[in-house]
Coordinates of all heavy atoms in Angstrom, one line a residue:
M1 N 32.0 -4.2 5.3 CA 30.6 -4.0 5.7 C 29.7 -4.4 4.5 O 29.9 -3.8 3.4 CB 30.2 -2.6 6.2 CG 28.9 -2.3 6.6 SD 28.9 -0.6 7.3 CE 27.4 0.0 6.5
A2 N 28.7 -5.1 4.7 CA 27.9 -5.6 3.6 C 26.8 -4.6 3.4 O 26.4 -3.9 4.4 CB 27.3 -6.9 4.0
G3 N 26.4 -4.3 2.3 CA 25.3 -3.3 1.9 C 23.9 -4.0 2.0 O 23.9 -5.1 2.4
Y4 N 23.0 -3.3 1.8 CA 21.7 -3.8 1.8 C 21.4 -4.8 0.6 O 22.0 -4.7 -0.4 CB 20.7 -2.7 1.8 CG 20.5 -1.7 2.9 CD1 21.0 -0.4 2.7 CD2 20.2 -2.1 4.1 CE1 21.0 0.4 3.9 CE2 20.2 -1.2 5.2 CZ 20.7 -0.1 5.0 OH 20.6 0.8 6.3
P5 N 20.5 -5.8 0.9 CA 20.3 -6.8 -0.1 C 19.5 -6.0 -1.4 O 18.9 -5.0 -1.1 CB 19.3 -7.6 0.6 CG 18.7 -7.1 1.7 CD 19.7 -6.0 2.0
T6 N 19.8 -6.6 -2.6 CA 19.3 -6.0 -3.7 C 18.0 -6.9 -4.2 O 17.7 -6.6 -5.4 CB 20.3 -5.8 -4.8 OG1 20.8 -7.1 -5.1 CG2 21.4 -4.9 -4.5
T7 N 17.6 -7.9 -3.5 CA 16.5 -8.5 -3.8 C 15.6 -8.7 -2.4 O 16.0 -8.6 -1.3 CB 16.9 -10.0 -4.2 OG1 17.6 -10.7 -3.3 CG2 17.8 -9.9 -5.4
I8 N 14.3 -9.2 -2.8 CA 13.5 -9.6 -1.5 C 13.0 -10.9 -1.8 O 12.4 -11.1 -3.0 CB 12.4 -8.4 -1.4 CG1 11.4 -8.9 -0.1 CG2 11.6 -8.2 -2.5 CD1 12.1 -8.8 1.2
A9 N 13.0 -11.8 -0.8 CA 12.4 -13.1 -1.1 C 10.9 -13.0 -1.0 O 10.4 -12.3 -0.1 CB 12.9 -14.0 0.1
I10 N 10.2 -13.5 -2.0 CA 8.7 -13.5 -2.1 C 8.2 -14.1 -0.7 O 7.2 -13.5 -0.3 CB 8.3 -14.2 -3.2 CG1 8.6 -13.5 -4.5 CG2 6.6 -14.3 -3.2 CD1 8.5 -14.3 -5.9
S11 N 8.8 -15.1 -0.2 CA 8.3 -15.7 1.0 C 8.4 -14.7 2.2 O 7.5 -14.8 3.1 CB 9.1 -17.0 1.3 OG 10.4 -16.9 1.5
E12 N 9.3 -13.9 2.3 CA 9.6 -13.0 3.4 C 8.6 -11.8 3.2 O 7.9 -11.4 4.2 CB 10.9 -12.4 3.3 CG 12.1 -13.3 3.7 CD 13.4 -12.8 3.6 OE1 13.6 -11.8 2.9 OE2 14.4 -13.4 4.0
L13 N 8.2 -11.3 2.1 CA 7.3 -10.3 1.8 C 5.8 -10.9 2.1 O 5.2 -10.3 2.9 CB 7.3 -9.8 0.3 CG 6.5 -8.7 -0.1 CD1 6.7 -7.5 0.8 CD2 6.6 -8.5 -1.5
E14 N 5.7 -12.2 1.6 CA 4.3 -12.9 1.9 C 4.2 -12.9 3.4 O 3.0 -12.7 4.0 CB 4.3 -14.1 1.3 CG 3.0 -14.9 1.5 CD 3.2 -16.3 0.9 OE1 4.1 -17.0 1.0 OE2 2.2 -16.7 0.2
Q15 N 5.1 -13.3 4.1 CA 5.0 -13.6 5.6 C 4.7 -12.2 6.3 O 3.9 -12.1 7.2 CB 6.4 -14.2 6.2 CG 6.2 -14.4 7.7 CD 7.4 -15.2 8.2 OE1 8.3 -15.3 7.6 NE2 7.3 -15.5 9.4
V16 N 5.5 -11.1 6.0 CA 5.0 -9.8 6.5 C 3.7 -9.4 6.3 O 3.0 -9.0 7.2 CB 6.1 -8.7 6.0 CG1 5.7 -7.3 6.4 CG2 7.5 -8.9 6.6
L17 N 3.2 -9.5 5.0 CA 1.8 -9.2 4.6 C 0.8 -10.0 5.4 O -0.1 -9.5 5.8 CB 1.6 -9.2 3.1 CG 2.4 -8.2 2.4 CD1 2.3 -8.5 0.8 CD2 2.0 -6.8 2.6
F18 N 1.1 -11.2 5.5 CA 0.3 -12.2 6.2 C 0.0 -11.8 7.7 O -1.1 -11.6 8.2 CB 0.7 -13.6 6.0 CG -0.1 -14.6 6.9 CD1 -1.4 -15.1 6.4 CD2 0.3 -15.1 8.1 CE1 -2.1 -16.0 7.2 CE2 -0.5 -15.9 8.9 CZ -1.7 -16.4 8.4
L19 N 1.4 -11.6 8.4 CA 1.2 -11.3 9.8 C 0.5 -9.8 10.0 O -0.1 -9.7 10.9 CB 2.6 -11.1 10.3 CG 3.3 -12.5 10.4 CD1 4.9 -12.3 10.8 CD2 2.6 -13.5 11.3
A20 N 0.7 -9.0 9.1 CA 0.0 -7.7 9.2 C -1.5 -7.8 8.9 O -2.3 -7.3 9.8 CB 0.5 -6.6 8.1
M21 N -1.8 -8.6 8.2 CA -3.3 -8.9 7.9 C -3.9 -9.6 9.2 O -5.0 -9.2 9.6 CB -3.6 -9.7 6.7 CG -3.2 -9.0 5.4 SD -4.1 -7.3 5.1 CE -2.8 -6.3 5.4
E22 N -3.2 -10.5 9.7 CA -3.7 -11.1 10.8 C -3.8 -10.2 12.0 O -4.8 -10.1 12.7 CB -2.6 -12.3 11.2 CG -2.8 -13.5 10.4 CD -4.2 -14.0 10.3 OE1 -4.7 -14.5 11.5 OE2 -4.7 -14.3 9.3
A23 N -2.7 -9.2 12.2 CA -2.9 -8.2 13.3 C -4.1 -7.2 13.1 O -4.9 -6.9 13.9 CB -1.6 -7.4 13.4
L24 N -4.4 -7.0 11.8 CA -5.5 -6.1 11.4 C -6.8 -6.8 11.7 O -7.8 -6.3 12.3 CB -5.4 -5.5 10.1 CG -4.3 -4.4 9.8 CD1 -4.1 -4.3 8.3 CD2 -4.9 -3.2 10.5
K25 N -6.9 -8.2 11.4 CA -8.1 -8.9 11.7 C -8.3 -9.0 13.2 O -9.5 -9.0 13.7 CB -8.0 -10.4 11.3 CG -8.1 -10.3 9.7 CD -7.9 -11.8 9.3 CE -7.9 -12.0 7.8 NZ -7.6 -13.3 7.3
Q26 N -7.2 -9.0 14.1 CA -7.5 -9.1 15.5 C -8.1 -7.7 15.9 O -8.9 -7.7 16.8 CB -6.1 -9.3 16.2 CG -5.7 -10.7 16.1 CD -4.3 -10.9 16.8 OE1 -3.8 -10.0 17.4 NE2 -3.8 -12.1 16.6
Q27 N -7.6 -6.6 15.4 CA -8.0 -5.3 15.6 C -9.5 -5.0 15.1 O -10.4 -4.5 15.9 CB -7.2 -4.2 15.3 CG -7.5 -2.8 15.6 CD -6.5 -1.8 15.4 OE1 -5.4 -2.2 14.9 NE2 -6.8 -0.6 15.5
Y28 N -9.8 -5.4 13.9 CA -11.0 -5.0 13.3 C -12.1 -6.2 13.3 O -13.1 -6.0 12.7 CB -10.9 -4.3 11.9 CG -10.2 -3.1 12.1 CD1 -8.8 -2.9 11.8 CD2 -10.9 -1.8 12.4 CE1 -8.3 -1.7 11.8 CE2 -10.4 -0.7 12.5 CZ -8.9 -0.6 12.3 OH -8.4 0.7 12.4
G29 N -11.6 -7.4 13.6 CA -12.4 -8.6 13.2 C -12.3 -9.2 11.9 O -11.7 -8.5 11.0
P30 N -12.5 -10.6 11.7 CA -12.0 -11.2 10.5 C -12.6 -10.6 9.2 O -12.3 -10.7 8.1 CB -12.4 -12.7 10.7 CG -13.3 -12.6 11.9 CD -13.0 -11.4 12.6
L31 N -13.9 -10.0 9.3 CA -14.5 -9.3 8.3 C -14.6 -7.9 8.3 O -15.4 -7.1 7.8 CB -15.9 -9.9 8.1 CG -16.1 -11.5 7.9 CD1 -17.5 -11.9 7.8 CD2 -15.3 -11.8 6.6
G32 N -13.7 -7.4 9.2 CA -13.8 -5.8 9.5 C -13.3 -5.1 8.3 O -13.0 -5.5 7.3
H33 N -13.6 -3.7 8.5 CA -13.1 -2.8 7.5 C -12.4 -1.8 8.2 O -12.6 -1.2 9.3 CB -14.4 -2.0 6.9 CG -15.2 -3.1 6.1 ND1 -16.1 -4.0 6.7 CD2 -15.2 -3.2 4.7 CE1 -16.7 -4.5 5.6 NE2 -16.0 -4.1 4.5
I34 N -11.2 -1.3 7.5 CA -10.3 -0.2 8.1 C -10.9 1.1 7.6 O -11.1 1.3 6.4 CB -8.9 -0.4 7.5 CG1 -8.4 -1.9 8.0 CG2 -8.0 0.6 8.0 CD1 -7.2 -2.3 7.3
P35 N -11.0 2.0 8.5 CA -11.7 3.3 8.1 C -10.6 4.1 7.4 O -9.5 4.0 7.6 CB -11.9 4.0 9.3 CG -11.5 3.3 10.6 CD -11.0 1.9 9.9
L36 N -11.0 4.7 6.3 CA -10.2 5.7 5.6 C -10.6 7.1 5.9 O -11.3 7.8 5.2 CB -10.4 5.4 4.0 CG -10.1 4.0 3.5 CD1 -10.4 3.8 2.0 CD2 -8.7 3.5 3.7
A37 N -9.8 7.6 7.0 CA -10.2 8.9 7.5 C -9.7 10.0 6.4 O -10.4 11.1 6.4 CB -9.6 9.1 8.8
Q38 N -8.8 9.7 5.7 CA -8.3 10.6 4.6 C -8.8 9.8 3.3 O -8.7 8.6 3.3 CB -6.8 10.7 4.7 CG -6.3 11.3 6.0 CD -6.8 12.7 6.4 OE1 -6.9 13.6 5.2 NE2 -7.2 13.1 7.5
D39 N -8.8 10.7 2.2 CA -9.1 10.1 1.0 C -8.0 10.4 0.0 O -7.4 9.5 -0.8 CB -10.5 10.5 0.5 CG -11.1 9.6 -0.6 OD1 -10.5 8.5 -0.9 OD2 -11.9 10.1 -1.3
F40 N -7.6 11.6 -0.2 CA -6.7 12.0 -1.3 C -5.2 12.0 -0.7 O -5.0 12.2 0.4 CB -7.0 13.4 -1.8 CG -8.4 13.4 -2.5 CD1 -9.4 13.7 -1.8 CD2 -8.5 13.0 -3.9 CE1 -10.7 13.7 -2.5 CE2 -9.7 12.9 -4.5 CZ -10.8 13.4 -3.9
Y41 N -4.3 11.7 -1.6 CA -2.9 11.8 -1.1 C -2.1 12.2 -2.5 O -2.4 12.0 -3.6 CB -2.4 10.3 -0.7 CG -2.6 9.3 -1.9 CD1 -1.7 9.0 -2.8 CD2 -3.8 8.5 -1.9 CE1 -1.9 8.0 -3.7 CE2 -4.0 7.6 -2.8 CZ -3.1 7.2 -3.7 OH -3.3 6.3 -4.6
W42 N -0.7 12.7 -2.1 CA 0.1 12.9 -3.1 C 0.8 11.7 -3.6 O 1.0 10.9 -2.9 CB 1.2 13.9 -2.6 CG 0.6 15.3 -2.5 CD1 0.4 15.9 -1.2 CD2 0.3 16.3 -3.4 NE1 0.0 17.1 -1.3 CE2 -0.2 17.5 -2.7 CE3 0.2 16.3 -4.7 CZ2 -0.7 18.6 -3.3 CZ3 -0.2 17.5 -5.4 CH2 -0.8 18.6 -4.6
D43 N 1.0 11.8 -5.0 CA 1.6 10.6 -5.6 C 2.8 11.1 -6.5 O 2.5 12.0 -7.2 CB 0.7 9.7 -6.2 CG 1.2 8.3 -6.6 OD1 2.1 8.0 -6.0 OD2 0.6 7.7 -7.5
I44 N 3.9 10.4 -6.7 CA 4.9 10.7 -7.7 C 4.6 9.8 -8.8 O 4.6 8.5 -8.6 CB 6.2 10.5 -7.1 CG1 6.4 11.5 -5.9 CG2 7.4 10.8 -8.1 CD1 7.6 11.4 -5.2
P45 N 4.7 10.2 -10.0 CA 4.5 9.2 -11.3 C 5.6 8.3 -11.2 O 6.8 8.6 -10.8 CB 4.6 10.3 -12.4 CG 4.1 11.4 -11.9 CD 4.6 11.6 -10.4
G46 N 5.3 7.0 -11.6 CA 6.2 6.0 -11.6 C 7.6 6.1 -12.3 O 8.6 5.7 -11.9
E47 N 7.6 6.9 -13.4 CA 8.8 7.2 -14.1 C 9.7 8.1 -13.5 O 10.9 8.1 -13.7 CB 8.4 7.8 -15.6 CG 7.8 9.0 -15.7 CD 6.3 8.9 -15.6 OE1 5.6 7.9 -15.4 OE2 5.6 9.9 -15.7
Q48 N 9.1 8.9 -12.5 CA 10.0 9.8 -11.7 C 10.2 9.2 -10.3 O 11.2 9.8 -9.6 CB 9.3 11.1 -11.5 CG 9.1 11.8 -12.8 CD 8.4 13.2 -12.6 OE1 8.4 13.8 -11.6 NE2 7.4 13.4 -13.5
L49 N 9.6 8.1 -9.8 CA 9.7 7.8 -8.5 C 11.2 7.2 -8.1 O 11.6 7.5 -7.0 CB 8.8 6.7 -8.3 CG 8.5 6.1 -6.9 CD1 8.0 7.1 -5.8 CD2 7.4 4.9 -6.8
Y50 N 11.7 6.6 -9.0 CA 13.1 6.0 -8.7 C 14.1 6.7 -9.3 O 15.3 6.2 -9.4 CB 13.1 4.6 -9.1 CG 12.0 3.8 -8.3 CD1 10.8 3.5 -8.9 CD2 12.3 3.5 -7.0 CE1 9.8 2.7 -8.2 CE2 11.3 2.8 -6.3 CZ 9.9 2.6 -6.9 OH 9.1 1.9 -6.3
T51 N 13.9 7.9 -9.8 CA 15.0 8.6 -10.5 C 15.3 9.9 -9.6 O 14.9 10.9 -9.5 CB 14.5 9.5 -11.8 OG1 14.0 8.4 -12.7 CG2 15.7 10.1 -12.5
I52 N 16.1 9.4 -8.5 CA 16.5 10.4 -7.4 C 17.5 11.5 -7.7 O 17.6 12.4 -6.9 CB 17.0 9.5 -6.1 CG1 18.2 8.8 -6.4 CG2 15.8 8.6 -5.6 CD1 18.9 8.1 -5.2
E53 N 18.1 11.4 -8.8 CA 19.2 12.3 -9.2 C 18.3 13.7 -9.6 O 19.0 14.7 -9.8 CB 19.9 11.9 -10.5 CG 20.7 10.7 -10.2 CD 19.8 9.4 -10.5 OE1 18.9 9.4 -11.1 OE2 20.2 8.4 -10.0
Q54 N 17.1 13.5 -9.9 CA 16.3 14.7 -10.3 C 15.1 14.7 -9.4 O 14.3 13.7 -9.1 CB 15.8 14.4 -11.8 CG 15.3 15.5 -12.4 CD 15.0 15.2 -13.9 OE1 15.6 14.2 -14.5 NE2 14.3 16.1 -14.6
E55 N 14.6 16.0 -8.9 CA 13.5 16.2 -8.1 C 12.3 16.0 -8.9 O 12.2 16.5 -10.1 CB 13.6 17.7 -7.5 CG 12.4 17.7 -6.6 CD 12.6 19.1 -5.6 OE1 13.8 19.6 -5.6 OE2 11.6 19.8 -5.3
P56 N 11.3 15.2 -8.5 CA 10.0 15.1 -9.2 C 9.5 16.5 -9.7 O 9.3 17.4 -8.9 CB 9.2 14.4 -8.3 CG 9.9 13.9 -7.2 CD 11.1 14.8 -7.2
A57 N 9.0 16.5 -10.9 CA 8.6 17.7 -11.6 C 7.0 17.7 -11.4 O 6.4 18.8 -11.3 CB 8.9 17.9 -12.9
D58 N 6.5 16.5 -11.5 CA 5.0 16.5 -11.4 C 4.5 15.6 -10.4 O 4.7 14.4 -10.4 CB 4.4 15.9 -12.8 CG 4.9 16.8 -14.0 OD1 4.7 17.9 -13.8 OD2 5.5 16.2 -15.0
L59 N 3.7 16.1 -9.4 CA 3.1 15.3 -8.4 C 1.7 15.1 -8.9 O 1.2 16.0 -9.6 CB 2.9 15.9 -7.1 CG 4.4 16.1 -6.4 CD1 4.2 16.9 -5.1 CD2 5.1 14.8 -6.1
T60 N 1.0 13.9 -8.7 CA -0.2 13.8 -9.0 C -1.0 13.5 -7.7 O -0.5 13.3 -6.7 CB -0.3 12.5 -9.9 OG1 0.1 11.4 -9.4 CG2 0.3 12.7 -11.3
I61 N -2.2 13.3 -7.8 CA -3.2 13.1 -6.7 C -3.8 11.8 -6.8 O -4.4 11.4 -8.0 CB -4.3 14.2 -6.5 CG1 -3.5 15.5 -6.2 CG2 -5.2 13.8 -5.3 CD1 -4.5 16.6 -6.1
G62 N -3.8 11.0 -5.7 CA -4.4 9.6 -5.8 C -5.5 9.7 -4.8 O -5.6 10.7 -4.0
Q63 N -6.4 8.6 -4.8 CA -7.5 8.6 -3.9 C -7.7 7.2 -3.3 O -7.9 6.2 -4.1 CB -8.7 9.0 -4.8 CG -10.0 9.2 -4.0 CD -11.1 9.7 -4.8 OE1 -11.1 9.8 -6.2 NE2 -12.3 10.1 -4.1
L64 N -7.7 7.2 -2.0 CA -7.7 5.8 -1.4 C -9.0 5.1 -1.8 O -9.2 3.9 -1.9 CB -7.5 6.0 0.1 CG -6.2 6.5 0.5 CD1 -6.1 6.8 2.0 CD2 -5.1 5.4 0.2
S65 N -10.1 5.9 -1.7 CA -11.4 5.2 -2.0 C -11.4 4.5 -3.4 O -12.1 3.5 -3.7 CB -12.5 6.2 -1.8 OG -12.5 7.4 -2.5
E66 N -10.9 5.2 -4.4 CA -10.7 4.8 -5.6 C -9.8 3.5 -5.7 O -10.2 2.4 -6.5 CB -10.2 5.9 -6.7 CG -10.0 5.3 -8.2 CD -9.4 6.3 -9.0 OE1 -8.3 6.8 -8.7 OE2 -10.0 6.8 -9.9
D67 N -8.8 3.6 -5.0 CA -7.9 2.4 -4.9 C -8.6 1.3 -4.3 O -8.5 0.1 -4.8 CB -6.7 2.7 -4.0 CG -5.7 3.9 -4.5 OD1 -5.7 4.0 -5.8 OD2 -5.0 4.4 -3.8
S68 N -9.4 1.5 -3.2 CA -10.0 0.3 -2.7 C -11.2 -0.2 -3.7 O -11.2 -1.5 -3.8 CB -10.9 1.1 -1.4 OG -11.8 -0.1 -0.8
Q69 N -11.8 0.6 -4.5 CA -12.9 0.2 -5.4 C -12.1 -0.6 -6.5 O -12.6 -1.7 -6.9 CB -13.6 1.3 -6.0 CG -14.5 0.9 -7.1 CD -15.7 -0.1 -6.5 OE1 -16.0 0.2 -5.5 NE2 -16.1 -0.9 -7.3
F70 N -10.9 -0.2 -7.0 CA -10.2 -0.9 -7.9 C -9.8 -2.4 -7.5 O -9.8 -3.3 -8.2 CB -8.8 -0.1 -8.3 CG -8.3 -0.4 -9.6 CD1 -8.8 0.2 -10.7 CD2 -7.3 -1.3 -9.7 CE1 -8.3 -0.1 -12.0 CE2 -6.8 -1.7 -10.9 CZ -7.2 -1.0 -12.1
I71 N -9.5 -2.4 -6.2 CA -9.1 -3.8 -5.6 C -10.4 -4.7 -5.6 O -10.2 -5.8 -6.0 CB -8.5 -3.6 -4.2 CG1 -7.2 -2.8 -4.0 CG2 -8.4 -4.9 -3.4 CD1 -6.0 -3.4 -4.9
K72 N -11.4 -4.1 -5.2 CA -12.7 -4.9 -5.3 C -13.1 -5.4 -6.6 O -13.3 -6.5 -6.9 CB -13.8 -4.1 -4.8 CG -13.9 -3.9 -3.2 CD -15.0 -3.0 -2.9 CE -14.9 -2.6 -1.4 NZ -15.9 -1.7 -0.9
E73 N -12.8 -4.6 -7.7 CA -13.1 -4.9 -9.1 C -12.0 -6.0 -9.5 O -12.4 -6.9 -10.3 CB -12.9 -3.6 -10.0 CG -14.2 -2.8 -9.7 CD -14.1 -1.3 -10.3 OE1 -12.9 -1.1 -11.1 OE2 -14.8 -0.4 -10.2
G74 N -10.8 -5.9 -9.0 CA -9.8 -6.8 -9.5 C -10.1 -8.1 -9.0 O -9.7 -9.1 -9.6
L75 N -10.7 -8.2 -7.8 CA -11.0 -9.5 -7.3 C -12.1 -10.2 -8.1 O -12.2 -11.5 -8.2 CB -11.5 -9.5 -5.8 CG -10.4 -9.1 -4.8 CD1 -11.0 -8.7 -3.4 CD2 -9.4 -10.2 -4.8
A76 N -13.0 -9.3 -8.7 CA -14.0 -10.0 -9.5 C -13.4 -10.3 -11.0 O -13.8 -11.3 -11.6 CB -15.2 -8.9 -9.7
R77 N -12.6 -9.4 -11.5 CA -12.1 -9.6 -12.9 C -10.8 -10.5 -13.0 O -10.5 -11.0 -14.0 CB -11.8 -8.2 -13.5 CG -10.7 -7.6 -13.0 CD -10.4 -6.3 -13.9 NE -10.0 -5.3 -13.0 CZ -9.0 -5.1 -12.2 NH1 -8.2 -6.2 -12.1 NH2 -8.6 -4.0 -11.5
G78 N -10.1 -10.6 -11.9 CA -8.8 -11.3 -11.9 C -7.8 -10.3 -11.7 O -7.8 -9.1 -12.3
I79 N -6.9 -10.5 -10.8 CA -5.7 -9.6 -10.3 C -4.8 -9.3 -11.5 O -4.4 -10.3 -12.1 CB -5.0 -10.0 -9.1 CG1 -6.1 -10.2 -7.9 CG2 -3.9 -9.2 -8.7 CD1 -6.8 -9.0 -7.4
V80 N -4.4 -8.1 -11.7 CA -3.3 -7.7 -12.5 C -2.2 -6.8 -11.9 O -2.4 -6.5 -10.7 CB -3.9 -6.8 -13.7 CG1 -4.9 -7.7 -14.6 CG2 -4.6 -5.5 -13.2
G81 N -1.2 -6.6 -12.4 CA 0.0 -5.9 -11.8 C -0.4 -4.6 -11.3 O 0.0 -4.3 -10.1
F82 N -1.3 -3.8 -11.8 CA -1.7 -2.7 -11.4 C -2.4 -2.6 -10.0 O -2.3 -1.6 -9.3 CB -2.7 -2.0 -12.4 CG -2.8 -0.5 -12.3 CD1 -1.8 0.4 -12.3 CD2 -4.1 0.1 -12.2 CE1 -1.9 1.9 -12.2 CE2 -4.2 1.4 -12.0 CZ -3.3 2.3 -11.9
D83 N -3.0 -3.8 -9.8 CA -3.7 -4.0 -8.4 C -2.7 -4.0 -7.3 O -3.0 -3.4 -6.2 CB -4.6 -5.4 -8.4 CG -5.6 -5.3 -9.4 OD1 -6.3 -4.3 -9.4 OD2 -5.8 -6.4 -10.0
L84 N -1.5 -4.4 -7.6 CA -0.5 -4.3 -6.6 C -0.2 -2.8 -6.3 O 0.1 -2.5 -5.0 CB 0.9 -5.0 -6.9 CG 0.8 -6.5 -7.0 CD1 2.1 -7.1 -7.6 CD2 0.6 -7.0 -5.6
L85 N -0.1 -2.0 -7.3 CA 0.2 -0.6 -7.0 C -1.0 0.1 -6.1 O -0.8 0.7 -5.1 CB 0.2 0.2 -8.4 CG 0.5 1.7 -8.1 CD1 1.7 2.1 -7.5 CD2 0.4 2.4 -9.6
K86 N -2.3 -0.2 -6.4 CA -3.4 0.2 -5.5 C -3.3 -0.3 -4.2 O -3.6 0.4 -3.3 CB -4.7 -0.1 -6.4 CG -4.9 0.4 -7.7 CD -4.9 1.9 -7.7 CE -5.3 2.6 -9.1 NZ -5.3 4.0 -8.8
A87 N -3.0 -1.7 -4.2 CA -2.8 -2.2 -2.7 C -1.7 -1.5 -1.9 O -1.9 -1.1 -0.8 CB -2.6 -3.7 -2.8
S88 N -0.6 -1.2 -2.6 CA 0.5 -0.6 -2.0 C 0.1 0.9 -1.4 O 0.6 1.2 -0.5 CB 1.7 -0.3 -2.9 OG 1.6 0.6 -3.9
H89 N -0.8 1.7 -2.1 CA -1.2 2.9 -1.7 C -2.0 2.7 -0.4 O -1.9 3.4 0.6 CB -2.1 3.6 -2.7 CG -1.3 4.0 -3.8 ND1 -0.1 4.7 -3.8 CD2 -1.6 3.8 -5.2 CE1 0.3 5.0 -5.0 NE2 -0.5 4.4 -5.8
L90 N -2.8 1.7 -0.4 CA -3.7 1.4 0.8 C -2.8 0.9 2.0 O -2.9 1.3 3.0 CB -4.8 0.4 0.5 CG -5.8 0.9 -0.5 CD1 -6.6 -0.3 -1.2 CD2 -6.8 1.8 0.3
L91 N -1.8 0.1 1.7 CA -0.9 -0.5 2.7 C -0.1 0.7 3.3 O 0.2 0.6 4.5 CB -0.1 -1.6 2.1 CG -0.8 -2.8 1.8 CD1 0.2 -3.8 1.0 CD2 -1.3 -3.5 3.1
R92 N 0.3 1.7 2.4 CA 1.1 2.8 3.0 C 0.3 3.7 3.9 O 0.6 4.1 5.0 CB 1.6 3.7 1.8 CG 2.3 4.9 2.3 CD 2.9 5.6 1.1 NE 1.9 6.0 0.3 CZ 2.1 6.7 -1.0 NH1 3.4 6.9 -1.5 NH2 1.1 7.0 -1.7
Y93 N -1.1 3.9 3.5 CA -2.0 4.6 4.4 C -2.2 3.8 5.7 O -2.1 4.4 6.9 CB -3.4 4.7 3.8 CG -4.4 5.4 4.6 CD1 -4.4 6.7 5.0 CD2 -5.3 4.6 5.3 CE1 -5.3 7.2 5.9 CE2 -6.3 5.1 6.2 CZ -6.3 6.4 6.3 OH -7.2 7.0 7.2
I94 N -2.3 2.5 5.8 CA -2.5 1.7 6.8 C -1.3 1.8 7.8 O -1.4 1.9 9.0 CB -2.9 0.2 6.6 CG1 -4.3 0.3 5.9 CG2 -2.8 -0.6 7.8 CD1 -4.7 -1.1 5.2
S95 N -0.1 1.8 7.2 CA 1.1 1.7 8.0 C 1.2 3.1 8.6 O 1.8 3.3 9.7 CB 2.4 1.5 7.2 OG 2.6 2.5 6.2
H96 N 0.8 4.3 8.1 CA 0.9 5.6 8.7 C -0.2 5.7 9.8 O 0.0 6.4 10.7 CB 0.6 6.7 7.6 CG 1.8 6.9 6.7 ND1 1.8 7.4 5.4 CD2 3.0 6.4 6.7 CE1 2.9 7.3 4.8 NE2 3.6 6.8 5.7
T97 N -1.3 5.1 9.5 CA -2.5 5.2 10.5 C -2.4 4.2 11.6 O -3.2 4.3 12.6 CB -3.7 5.3 9.9 OG1 -4.0 4.1 9.1 CG2 -3.9 6.5 8.9
H98 N -1.5 3.3 11.5 CA -1.5 2.2 12.4 C 0.0 1.9 12.8 O 0.5 0.8 12.7 CB -2.2 0.8 11.9 CG -3.6 0.9 11.8 ND1 -4.1 1.6 10.7 CD2 -4.6 0.4 12.5 CE1 -5.6 1.5 10.8 NE2 -5.7 0.8 11.7
P99 N 0.7 2.9 13.3 CA 2.1 2.7 13.5 C 2.4 1.8 14.6 O 3.6 1.2 14.8 CB 2.6 4.1 13.9 CG 1.4 4.9 14.4 CD 0.2 4.2 13.6
T100 N 1.4 1.5 15.6 CA 1.8 0.6 16.7 C 1.1 -0.7 16.5 O 1.1 -1.5 17.4 CB 1.3 1.2 18.0 OG1 -0.2 1.4 17.9 CG2 2.0 2.6 18.3
L101 N 0.8 -1.1 15.2 CA 0.2 -2.4 14.8 C 1.1 -3.4 15.4 O 2.3 -3.4 15.0 CB 0.0 -2.5 13.4 CG -0.6 -3.7 12.8 CD1 -2.1 -3.7 13.3 CD2 -0.7 -3.8 11.3
H102 N 0.7 -4.4 16.2 CA 1.5 -5.3 16.8 C 1.4 -6.6 15.9 O 0.3 -7.1 15.7 CB 1.1 -5.8 18.2 CG 1.7 -7.0 18.8 ND1 3.0 -7.0 19.0 CD2 1.3 -8.2 19.0 CE1 3.5 -8.1 19.5 NE2 2.4 -8.9 19.4
L103 N 2.5 -7.0 15.2 CA 2.6 -8.2 14.5 C 2.9 -9.4 15.3 O 3.8 -9.4 16.0 CB 3.5 -8.1 13.3 CG 3.4 -6.8 12.5 CD1 4.4 -6.8 11.5 CD2 2.0 -6.8 11.7
P104 N 2.0 -10.4 15.2 CA 2.2 -11.6 16.0 C 3.4 -12.3 15.8 O 4.1 -12.2 14.8 CB 1.0 -12.6 15.8 CG 0.3 -11.9 14.6 CD 0.8 -10.5 14.3

């Protein structure tokens, strides 16, 4: 039995994100905004996130509105790797609040 892949093709990830954005545009319009009904969330610090042998000792609090603002600023200043983290928090929220999102 083959295990799960240990890589992800950038083109596959890009396609999933593109299709998800297209579905959201169909729901909210091409210039629509997704409501952030919740703002704060629990987050596990990066150095503890992938160390599953040990239960996380420190949870931090993140804020979706701050993540959104950071993304806007990133578009103005130029995207950096940290913007992906902020986008991932927003995408996680969207995936939880839109579980029946139909991808074309």
